[in-house]
PDB file of all heavy atoms in Angstrom:
ATOM      1  N   GLU Y  74     -10.520   0.236  -2.929  1.00 87.00           N
ATOM      2  CA  GLU Y  74     -11.674   0.235  -3.817  1.00 87.00           C
ATOM      3  C   GLU Y  74     -12.953   0.010  -3.032  1.00 87.00           C
ATOM      4  O   GLU Y  74     -14.013   0.494  -3.409  1.00 87.00           O
ATOM      5  CB  GLU Y  74     -11.509  -0.842  -4.902  1.00 87.00           C
ATOM      6  CG  GLU Y  74     -10.492  -0.505  -5.959  1.00 87.00           C
ATOM      7  CD  GLU Y  74     -10.846   0.729  -6.781  1.00 87.00           C
ATOM      8  OE1 GLU Y  74     -10.861   1.832  -6.203  1.00 87.00           O
ATOM      9  OE2 GLU Y  74     -11.092   0.606  -7.975  1.00 87.00           O
ATOM     10  N   THR Y 108      -4.927  -9.367  -0.345  1.00 88.00           N
ATOM     11  CA  THR Y 108      -4.082 -10.545  -0.209  1.00 88.00           C
ATOM     12  C   THR Y 108      -4.216 -11.135   1.182  1.00 88.00           C
ATOM     13  O   THR Y 108      -4.080 -10.431   2.168  1.00 88.00           O
ATOM     14  CB  THR Y 108      -2.614 -10.146  -0.429  1.00 88.00           C
ATOM     15  OG1 THR Y 108      -2.547  -9.237  -1.499  1.00 88.00           O
ATOM     16  CG2 THR Y 108      -1.768 -11.354  -0.726  1.00 88.00           C
ATOM     17  N   THR Y 110      -2.354 -13.225   3.611  1.00 89.00           N
ATOM     18  CA  THR Y 110      -1.032 -13.802   3.831  1.00 89.00           C
ATOM     19  C   THR Y 110      -1.146 -14.950   4.814  1.00 89.00           C
ATOM     20  O   THR Y 110      -2.164 -15.117   5.479  1.00 89.00           O
ATOM     21  CB  THR Y 110      -0.066 -12.746   4.392  1.00 89.00           C
ATOM     22  OG1 THR Y 110      -0.600 -12.253   5.607  1.00 89.00           O
ATOM     23  CG2 THR Y 110       0.109 -11.598   3.429  1.00 89.00           C
ATOM     24  N   ARG Y 112       0.242 -15.214   7.571  1.00 87.00           N
ATOM     25  CA  ARG Y 112       0.135 -14.722   8.941  1.00 87.00           C
ATOM     26  C   ARG Y 112      -1.259 -14.190   9.223  1.00 87.00           C
ATOM     27  O   ARG Y 112      -1.734 -14.220  10.351  1.00 87.00           O
ATOM     28  CB  ARG Y 112       1.170 -13.621   9.156  1.00 87.00           C
ATOM     29  CG  ARG Y 112       1.492 -13.397  10.599  1.00 87.00           C
ATOM     30  CD  ARG Y 112       2.606 -12.418  10.756  1.00 87.00           C
ATOM     31  NE  ARG Y 112       2.899 -12.248  12.177  1.00 87.00           N
ATOM     32  CZ  ARG Y 112       3.755 -11.369  12.645  1.00 87.00           C
ATOM     33  NH1 ARG Y 112       4.410 -10.589  11.825  1.00 87.00           N
ATOM     34  NH2 ARG Y 112       3.957 -11.253  13.926  1.00 87.00           N
ATOM     35  N   PRO Y 142      -1.101 -12.349  -8.345  1.00 88.00           N
ATOM     36  CA  PRO Y 142       0.299 -12.142  -8.716  1.00 88.00           C
ATOM     37  C   PRO Y 142       1.274 -12.678  -7.676  1.00 88.00           C
ATOM     38  O   PRO Y 142       2.435 -12.861  -7.972  1.00 88.00           O
ATOM     39  CB  PRO Y 142       0.405 -10.614  -8.849  1.00 88.00           C
ATOM     40  CG  PRO Y 142      -0.769 -10.070  -8.147  1.00 88.00           C
ATOM     41  CD  PRO Y 142      -1.833 -11.098  -8.191  1.00 88.00           C
ATOM     42  N   GLU Y 145       3.435 -17.122  -6.318  1.00 86.00           N
ATOM     43  CA  GLU Y 145       4.743 -17.756  -6.150  1.00 86.00           C
ATOM     44  C   GLU Y 145       5.391 -17.374  -4.826  1.00 86.00           C
ATOM     45  O   GLU Y 145       6.464 -17.859  -4.517  1.00 86.00           O
ATOM     46  CB  GLU Y 145       5.676 -17.331  -7.298  1.00 86.00           C
ATOM     47  CG  GLU Y 145       5.336 -17.968  -8.609  1.00 86.00           C
ATOM     48  CD  GLU Y 145       6.049 -17.272  -9.753  1.00 86.00           C
ATOM     49  OE1 GLU Y 145       6.008 -16.034  -9.798  1.00 86.00           O
ATOM     50  OE2 GLU Y 145       6.646 -17.950 -10.573  1.00 86.00           O
ATOM     51  N   SER Y 146       4.750 -16.505  -4.088  1.00 87.00           N
ATOM     52  CA  SER Y 146       5.394 -15.992  -2.881  1.00 87.00           C
ATOM     53  C   SER Y 146       5.356 -17.022  -1.757  1.00 87.00           C
ATOM     54  O   SER Y 146       4.487 -17.881  -1.706  1.00 87.00           O
ATOM     55  CB  SER Y 146       4.701 -14.715  -2.439  1.00 87.00           C
ATOM     56  OG  SER Y 146       5.186 -14.326  -1.194  1.00 87.00           O
ATOM     57  N   TYR Y 147       6.319 -16.908  -0.867  1.00 88.00           N
ATOM     58  CA  TYR Y 147       6.410 -17.858   0.235  1.00 88.00           C
ATOM     59  C   TYR Y 147       5.431 -17.546   1.348  1.00 88.00           C
ATOM     60  O   TYR Y 147       5.187 -18.367   2.212  1.00 88.00           O
ATOM     61  CB  TYR Y 147       7.836 -17.871   0.816  1.00 88.00           C
ATOM     62  CG  TYR Y 147       8.364 -16.494   1.175  1.00 88.00           C
ATOM     63  CD1 TYR Y 147       8.128 -15.936   2.407  1.00 88.00           C
ATOM     64  CD2 TYR Y 147       9.080 -15.751   0.236  1.00 88.00           C
ATOM     65  CE1 TYR Y 147       8.580 -14.678   2.721  1.00 88.00           C
ATOM     66  CE2 TYR Y 147       9.551 -14.488   0.544  1.00 88.00           C
ATOM     67  CZ  TYR Y 147       9.298 -13.956   1.791  1.00 88.00           C
ATOM     68  OH  TYR Y 147       9.740 -12.703   2.084  1.00 88.00           O
ATOM     69  N   SER Y 148       4.875 -16.345   1.368  1.00 88.00           N
ATOM     70  CA  SER Y 148       4.087 -15.956   2.538  1.00 88.00           C
ATOM     71  C   SER Y 148       2.642 -15.633   2.195  1.00 88.00           C
ATOM     72  O   SER Y 148       1.968 -14.978   2.968  1.00 88.00           O
ATOM     73  CB  SER Y 148       4.736 -14.749   3.223  1.00 88.00           C
ATOM     74  OG  SER Y 148       4.739 -13.668   2.331  1.00 88.00           O
ATOM     75  N   CYS Y 166      -7.747  -6.851 -10.407  1.00 85.00           N
ATOM     76  CA  CYS Y 166      -6.609  -6.577  -9.535  1.00 85.00           C
ATOM     77  C   CYS Y 166      -6.311  -5.094  -9.480  1.00 85.00           C
ATOM     78  O   CYS Y 166      -5.411  -4.635 -10.114  1.00 85.00           O
ATOM     79  CB  CYS Y 166      -5.383  -7.353  -9.998  1.00 85.00           C
ATOM     80  SG  CYS Y 166      -4.064  -7.337  -8.793  1.00 85.00           S
ATOM     81  N   ARG Y 169     -12.790  -3.258 -10.526  1.00 88.00           N
ATOM     82  CA  ARG Y 169     -13.372  -1.915 -10.588  1.00 88.00           C
ATOM     83  C   ARG Y 169     -14.626  -1.885  -9.708  1.00 88.00           C
ATOM     84  O   ARG Y 169     -15.227  -2.921  -9.456  1.00 88.00           O
ATOM     85  CB  ARG Y 169     -13.757  -1.591 -12.034  1.00 88.00           C
ATOM     86  CG  ARG Y 169     -12.600  -1.645 -12.988  1.00 88.00           C
ATOM     87  CD  ARG Y 169     -13.110  -1.443 -14.383  1.00 88.00           C
ATOM     88  NE  ARG Y 169     -13.773  -0.144 -14.492  1.00 88.00           N
ATOM     89  CZ  ARG Y 169     -13.123   0.986 -14.708  1.00 88.00           C
ATOM     90  NH1 ARG Y 169     -11.834   0.970 -14.868  1.00 88.00           N
ATOM     91  NH2 ARG Y 169     -13.755   2.127 -14.773  1.00 88.00           N
TER      92      ARG Y 169
ATOM     93  N   MET I  39       3.749  -5.955  13.024  1.00 87.00           N
ATOM     94  CA  MET I  39       3.369  -5.847  11.607  1.00 87.00           C
ATOM     95  C   MET I  39       3.704  -7.144  10.896  1.00 87.00           C
ATOM     96  O   MET I  39       4.095  -8.122  11.509  1.00 87.00           O
ATOM     97  CB  MET I  39       4.094  -4.676  10.985  1.00 87.00           C
ATOM     98  CG  MET I  39       5.579  -4.836  11.030  1.00 87.00           C
ATOM     99  SD  MET I  39       6.361  -3.448  10.286  1.00 87.00           S
ATOM    100  CE  MET I  39       6.822  -2.548  11.700  1.00 87.00           C
ATOM    101  N   TYR I  41       1.443  -8.531   8.710  1.00 88.00           N
ATOM    102  CA  TYR I  41       0.217  -9.232   8.325  1.00 88.00           C
ATOM    103  C   TYR I  41      -0.072  -9.075   6.831  1.00 88.00           C
ATOM    104  O   TYR I  41      -0.995  -9.685   6.313  1.00 88.00           O
ATOM    105  CB  TYR I  41      -0.960  -8.727   9.161  1.00 88.00           C
ATOM    106  CG  TYR I  41      -0.797  -9.041  10.616  1.00 88.00           C
ATOM    107  CD1 TYR I  41      -0.383  -8.078  11.516  1.00 88.00           C
ATOM    108  CD2 TYR I  41      -1.015 -10.334  11.073  1.00 88.00           C
ATOM    109  CE1 TYR I  41      -0.194  -8.381  12.851  1.00 88.00           C
ATOM    110  CE2 TYR I  41      -0.827 -10.646  12.410  1.00 88.00           C
ATOM    111  CZ  TYR I  41      -0.420  -9.669  13.287  1.00 88.00           C
ATOM    112  OH  TYR I  41      -0.231  -9.980  14.596  1.00 88.00           O
ATOM    113  N   HIS I  43       2.733  -9.072   4.688  1.00 89.00           N
ATOM    114  CA  HIS I  43       4.043  -9.312   4.080  1.00 89.00           C
ATOM    115  C   HIS I  43       3.886 -10.298   2.935  1.00 89.00           C
ATOM    116  O   HIS I  43       3.565 -11.456   3.152  1.00 89.00           O
ATOM    117  CB  HIS I  43       5.002  -9.860   5.131  1.00 89.00           C
ATOM    118  CG  HIS I  43       6.337 -10.202   4.559  1.00 89.00           C
ATOM    119  ND1 HIS I  43       7.132  -9.266   3.956  1.00 89.00           N
ATOM    120  CD2 HIS I  43       6.997 -11.369   4.442  1.00 89.00           C
ATOM    121  CE1 HIS I  43       8.240  -9.852   3.519  1.00 89.00           C
ATOM    122  NE2 HIS I  43       8.170 -11.119   3.803  1.00 89.00           N
ATOM    123  N   ARG I  44       4.097  -9.802   1.708  1.00 88.00           N
ATOM    124  CA  ARG I  44       3.811 -10.625   0.535  1.00 88.00           C
ATOM    125  C   ARG I  44       5.077 -11.089  -0.170  1.00 88.00           C
ATOM    126  O   ARG I  44       5.015 -11.691  -1.215  1.00 88.00           O
ATOM    127  CB  ARG I  44       2.945  -9.840  -0.439  1.00 88.00           C
ATOM    128  CG  ARG I  44       1.698  -9.299   0.191  1.00 88.00           C
ATOM    129  CD  ARG I  44       0.749  -8.743  -0.820  1.00 88.00           C
ATOM    130  NE  ARG I  44       0.992  -7.328  -1.028  1.00 88.00           N
ATOM    131  CZ  ARG I  44       0.086  -6.514  -1.543  1.00 88.00           C
ATOM    132  NH1 ARG I  44      -1.094  -6.979  -1.897  1.00 88.00           N
ATOM    133  NH2 ARG I  44       0.344  -5.245  -1.725  1.00 88.00           N
ATOM    134  N   LEU I  49      10.086 -11.890  -4.830  1.00 89.00           N
ATOM    135  CA  LEU I  49       9.502 -12.001  -6.168  1.00 89.00           C
ATOM    136  C   LEU I  49      10.306 -11.184  -7.174  1.00 89.00           C
ATOM    137  O   LEU I  49      10.402 -11.543  -8.332  1.00 89.00           O
ATOM    138  CB  LEU I  49       8.047 -11.527  -6.144  1.00 89.00           C
ATOM    139  CG  LEU I  49       7.080 -12.495  -5.488  1.00 89.00           C
ATOM    140  CD1 LEU I  49       5.768 -11.821  -5.201  1.00 89.00           C
ATOM    141  CD2 LEU I  49       6.857 -13.693  -6.377  1.00 89.00           C
ATOM    142  N   LYS I  53      11.528 -12.416 -11.058  1.00 88.00           N
ATOM    143  CA  LYS I  53      10.905 -11.865 -12.262  1.00 88.00           C
ATOM    144  C   LYS I  53      11.939 -11.087 -13.057  1.00 88.00           C
ATOM    145  O   LYS I  53      12.942 -10.634 -12.505  1.00 88.00           O
ATOM    146  CB  LYS I  53       9.765 -10.919 -11.875  1.00 88.00           C
ATOM    147  CG  LYS I  53       8.739 -11.506 -10.956  1.00 88.00           C
ATOM    148  CD  LYS I  53       7.752 -12.324 -11.709  1.00 88.00           C
ATOM    149  CE  LYS I  53       6.850 -13.076 -10.743  1.00 88.00           C
ATOM    150  NZ  LYS I  53       6.054 -14.085 -11.401  1.00 88.00           N
ATOM    151  N   TYR I  61       4.462  -5.281  -9.637  1.00 90.00           N
ATOM    152  CA  TYR I  61       4.550  -5.509  -8.194  1.00 90.00           C
ATOM    153  C   TYR I  61       4.793  -4.206  -7.449  1.00 90.00           C
ATOM    154  O   TYR I  61       4.398  -4.059  -6.297  1.00 90.00           O
ATOM    155  CB  TYR I  61       5.655  -6.520  -7.886  1.00 90.00           C
ATOM    156  CG  TYR I  61       5.279  -7.904  -8.321  1.00 90.00           C
ATOM    157  CD1 TYR I  61       5.614  -8.377  -9.571  1.00 90.00           C
ATOM    158  CD2 TYR I  61       4.528  -8.717  -7.498  1.00 90.00           C
ATOM    159  CE1 TYR I  61       5.238  -9.629  -9.990  1.00 90.00           C
ATOM    160  CE2 TYR I  61       4.141  -9.975  -7.896  1.00 90.00           C
ATOM    161  CZ  TYR I  61       4.506 -10.430  -9.147  1.00 90.00           C
ATOM    162  OH  TYR I  61       4.100 -11.664  -9.545  1.00 90.00           O
ATOM    163  N   ARG I  64       1.728  -2.420  -6.238  1.00 87.00           N
ATOM    164  CA  ARG I  64       0.976  -2.953  -5.100  1.00 87.00           C
ATOM    165  C   ARG I  64       1.701  -2.747  -3.777  1.00 87.00           C
ATOM    166  O   ARG I  64       1.291  -3.294  -2.764  1.00 87.00           O
ATOM    167  CB  ARG I  64       0.670  -4.422  -5.369  1.00 87.00           C
ATOM    168  CG  ARG I  64      -0.373  -4.577  -6.450  1.00 87.00           C
ATOM    169  CD  ARG I  64      -0.314  -5.876  -7.171  1.00 87.00           C
ATOM    170  NE  ARG I  64      -1.304  -5.934  -8.244  1.00 87.00           N
ATOM    171  CZ  ARG I  64      -1.141  -5.431  -9.450  1.00 87.00           C
ATOM    172  NH1 ARG I  64      -0.029  -4.804  -9.751  1.00 87.00           N
ATOM    173  NH2 ARG I  64      -2.086  -5.523 -10.355  1.00 87.00           N
ATOM    174  N   GLU I 141      -7.687   6.753 -16.062  1.00 89.00           N
ATOM    175  CA  GLU I 141      -8.310   5.743 -16.923  1.00 89.00           C
ATOM    176  C   GLU I 141      -8.146   6.111 -18.384  1.00 89.00           C
ATOM    177  O   GLU I 141      -7.942   5.250 -19.240  1.00 89.00           O
ATOM    178  CB  GLU I 141      -9.798   5.602 -16.579  1.00 89.00           C
ATOM    179  CG  GLU I 141     -10.031   4.729 -15.367  1.00 89.00           C
ATOM    180  CD  GLU I 141     -11.498   4.601 -15.042  1.00 89.00           C
ATOM    181  OE1 GLU I 141     -12.286   4.340 -15.964  1.00 89.00           O
ATOM    182  OE2 GLU I 141     -11.866   4.796 -13.879  1.00 89.00           O
ATOM    183  N   ARG I 147      -7.405   2.022 -12.655  1.00 86.00           N
ATOM    184  CA  ARG I 147      -7.793   2.988 -11.629  1.00 86.00           C
ATOM    185  C   ARG I 147      -6.758   3.097 -10.521  1.00 86.00           C
ATOM    186  O   ARG I 147      -6.553   4.157  -9.959  1.00 86.00           O
ATOM    187  CB  ARG I 147      -9.113   2.572 -11.002  1.00 86.00           C
ATOM    188  CG  ARG I 147     -10.328   2.935 -11.800  1.00 86.00           C
ATOM    189  CD  ARG I 147     -11.528   2.206 -11.242  1.00 86.00           C
ATOM    190  NE  ARG I 147     -11.717   2.538  -9.841  1.00 86.00           N
ATOM    191  CZ  ARG I 147     -12.441   3.568  -9.402  1.00 86.00           C
ATOM    192  NH1 ARG I 147     -13.035   4.350 -10.263  1.00 86.00           N
ATOM    193  NH2 ARG I 147     -12.569   3.799  -8.121  1.00 86.00           N
ATOM    194  N   MET I 148      -6.172   1.983 -10.167  1.00 86.00           N
ATOM    195  CA  MET I 148      -5.262   2.020  -9.011  1.00 86.00           C
ATOM    196  C   MET I 148      -3.889   1.467  -9.327  1.00 86.00           C
ATOM    197  O   MET I 148      -2.889   2.030  -8.941  1.00 86.00           O
ATOM    198  CB  MET I 148      -5.862   1.197  -7.876  1.00 86.00           C
ATOM    199  CG  MET I 148      -6.792   1.973  -6.996  1.00 86.00           C
ATOM    200  SD  MET I 148      -7.465   0.881  -5.779  1.00 86.00           S
ATOM    201  CE  MET I 148      -6.036   0.570  -4.783  1.00 86.00           C
ATOM    202  N   THR I 149      -3.840   0.333  -9.981  1.00 87.00           N
ATOM    203  CA  THR I 149      -2.560  -0.314 -10.260  1.00 87.00           C
ATOM    204  C   THR I 149      -2.234  -0.081 -11.724  1.00 87.00           C
ATOM    205  O   THR I 149      -2.671  -0.834 -12.581  1.00 87.00           O
ATOM    206  CB  THR I 149      -2.659  -1.801  -9.937  1.00 87.00           C
ATOM    207  OG1 THR I 149      -3.867  -2.287 -10.494  1.00 87.00           O
ATOM    208  CG2 THR I 149      -2.675  -2.037  -8.461  1.00 87.00           C
TER     209      THR I 149
END
Side-chain angles (χ1 to χ4, degrees):
Chain Y
E74 287 297 66
T108 319
T110 59
R112 201 174 181 186
E145 287 166 312
S146 172
Y147 52 87
S148 62
C166 192
R169 301 175 60 84
Chain I
M39 61 180 101
Y41 296 102
H43 177 60
R44 306 190 269 201
L49 286 166
K53 306 279 172 192
Y61 289 92
R64 288 155 183 83
E141 279 180 47
R147 279 167 58 89
M148 273 177 70
T149 46

